[in-house]
Amino acid sequence: MQYRTLGRSGAVVSTYAIGTMTFGSETSEPEAARQLDEYTARGGNLVETADVYSGGESERIVGRWLGTLDEQARSNIFLATKGRFPVGVEPRDAGNSRRHLRRALDASLARLDVDHVDLYQLHSWDPLTPLEESLGFLEDAVRAGKISYAGLSNFTGWQIAKATTLAADRVPLVSMQPQYNLLVREVEWEVVPAAIDGGLGILPWSPLGGGWLTGKYSQSEAPTGATRLGEDPERGVEAYAGRSARERTWTTIAAVKQIATERDVTLSQVALAWLHDRPGVTAIILGARTVDQLTENLGASELTLTSEEVERLDHASDPEAADYPCGLPGREQRDRAVD
């Protein structure tokens, strides 16, 4: 396992985090505990959850697991959670207002059975709450000792830029959590540059595209059986019909498969190794149903792709931005060299 500092902070985290979205729903508590044990045994220290995962059960499972650790092992854990969406309350009690975030953070601390978390992230932008109000809450939470650092999740480029500007000298804003993988590279146009410019470490979620980059889906046949899309083909941004209709999806998977065959590794490990070394990335959030899946994915920590392999993957997965402002002519317009 490798380690990096998280954004502009001095906090050191492992370059692979364990995501707990499946805990309490797709993953039973005993299996979740085995995953956490395996992850930490391999040197991982960043445990990432959220109040909405399994209706709060994910945080409870993580909290009970933390309670089994001795003081030294517990002190090694960098614990992160998120708030913004409603959990067990009326839908109107949501968002990034002081009122909701106070209630959400206190509830998360209670479920996790801790008095503070290392990283507390705004789970999404809230168009109804002034950003100054949200950042003011985070500043107060740091002063109260309830959180050490603050982060963002699912923000766009301009939202990141606004947040980092307003947070300067007030809030230790250190991370940004976007969906990012070989099939979702559009974040490289604005989100990644804004995060890097603002000193935020990038924590990609869905690094395997909801299972697409493992090679388990077929272009000729819709998925069935005990897979995420087999059980729910219309599942969110990973829905089979949408991604299957894009030729780039299958071109990308073919390139990943070819490199995996040449290197005698799995497709998952190739896709993760590509993401591991992208600009701005601090830690990749791994979400697995089983210990076997987690162990396979952690094997990517030992794989480094060659520049030629990276170029092949970049070419196959290129989302081909329009010429302006994110395509080549637009990028050339914003660049210059010293003559």
Side-chain angles (χ1 to χ4, degrees):
M1 188 72 72
Q2 299 177 36
Y3 301 88
R4 293 170 179 161
T5 53
L6 179 56
R8 56 185 167 189
S9 79
V12 176
V13 297
S14 53
T15 54
Y16 286 88
I18 185 167
T20 66
M21 187 178 70
T22 65
F23 291 7
S25 54
E26 300 171 51
T27 303
S28 68
E29 183 163 353
E31 183 71 8
R34 286 191 288 271
Q35 284 194 35
L36 289 162
D37 288 341
E38 174 67 14
Y39 170 71
T40 53
R42 295 178 64 118
N45 73 337
L46 175 47
V47 178
E48 202 278 339
T49 186
D51 58 0
V52 292
Y53 292 168
S54 303
E57 187 60 21
S58 172
E59 288 183 326
R60 294 186 188 96
I61 289 172
V62 171
R64 287 191 286 267
W65 174 78
L66 288 171
T68 68
L69 304 182
D70 61 34
E71 184 177 352
Q72 179 60 49
R74 173 62 186 86
S75 68
N76 289 334
I77 302 299
F78 189 93
L79 183 60
T81 192
K82 302 185 290 292
R84 192 296 199 175
F85 300 110
V87 178
V89 294
E90 292 295 324
R92 66 178 177 272
D93 188 17
N96 292 333
S97 68
R98 279 183 175 272
R99 179 179 187 274
H100 178 69
L101 290 177
R102 176 182 60 79
R103 290 156 60 102
L105 175 57
D106 286 347
S108 286
L109 294 176
R111 285 189 291 267
L112 290 163
D113 195 22
V114 297
D115 59 10
H116 79 282
V117 291
D118 298 295
L119 176 65
Y120 192 67
Q121 303 158 99
L122 303 180
H123 206 158
S124 182
W125 174 264
D126 177 9
L128 302 182
T129 302
L131 190 54
E132 294 86 344
E133 178 178 339
S134 308
L135 294 174
F137 167 80
L138 295 173
E139 181 179 18
D140 291 346
V142 171
R143 288 179 176 173
K146 293 184 176 182
I147 70 175
S148 297
Y149 304 100
L152 312 173
S153 179
N154 302 315
F155 275 45
T156 63
W158 74 265
Q159 293 164 356
I160 294 169
K162 183 173 182 178
T164 54
T165 298
L166 291 175
D169 301 322
R170 291 183 55 198
V171 181
L173 197 61
V174 300
S175 68
M176 167 58 193
Q177 190 173 320
Q179 182 183 195
Y180 189 13
N181 57 61
L182 276 163
L183 299 178
V184 183
R185 292 184 56 197
E186 291 82 356
V187 293
E188 295 175 353
W189 300 344
E190 295 287 349
V191 170
V192 169
I196 292 173
D197 184 68
L200 308 184
I202 297 171
L203 308 175
W205 61 267
S206 192
L208 296 176
W212 281 87
L213 293 168
T214 67
K216 62 185 175 184
Y217 299 131
S218 167
Q219 187 173 13
S220 60
E221 185 177 2
T224 58
T227 64
R228 289 181 180 177
L229 291 187
E231 296 169 352
D232 182 8
E234 299 180 1
R235 180 187 175 111
V237 296
E238 305 159 4
Y240 180 81
R243 279 194 174 162
S244 180
R246 303 183 193 116
E247 189 58 36
R248 183 169 69 92
T249 297
W250 303 108
T251 300
T252 301
I253 293 172
V256 173
K257 184 175 183 179
Q258 184 178 40
I259 293 172
T261 300
E262 293 168 356
R263 297 290 294 269
D264 192 25
V265 295
T266 67
L267 278 73
S268 300
Q269 290 167 348
V270 171
L272 292 170
W274 173 87
L275 186 56
H276 177 271
D277 292 322
R278 301 307 284 181
V281 170
T282 295
I284 297 171
I285 300 173
L286 300 176
R289 289 189 177 191
T290 67
V291 172
D292 288 343
Q293 289 178 349
L294 177 66
T295 301
E296 176 191 337
N297 293 342
L298 288 172
S301 64
E302 302 171 3
L303 176 64
T304 301
L305 301 180
T306 67
S307 58
E308 185 271 337
E309 289 168 337
V310 171
E311 184 177 350
R312 284 157 61 185
L313 293 171
D314 285 352
H315 177 74
S317 63
D318 188 351
E320 298 182 354
D323 287 347
Y324 188 86
C326 296
L328 181 60
R331 294 197 303 272
E332 289 178 338
Q333 186 183 69
R334 296 189 295 275
D335 193 20
R336 72 185 184 97
V338 178
D339 295 329

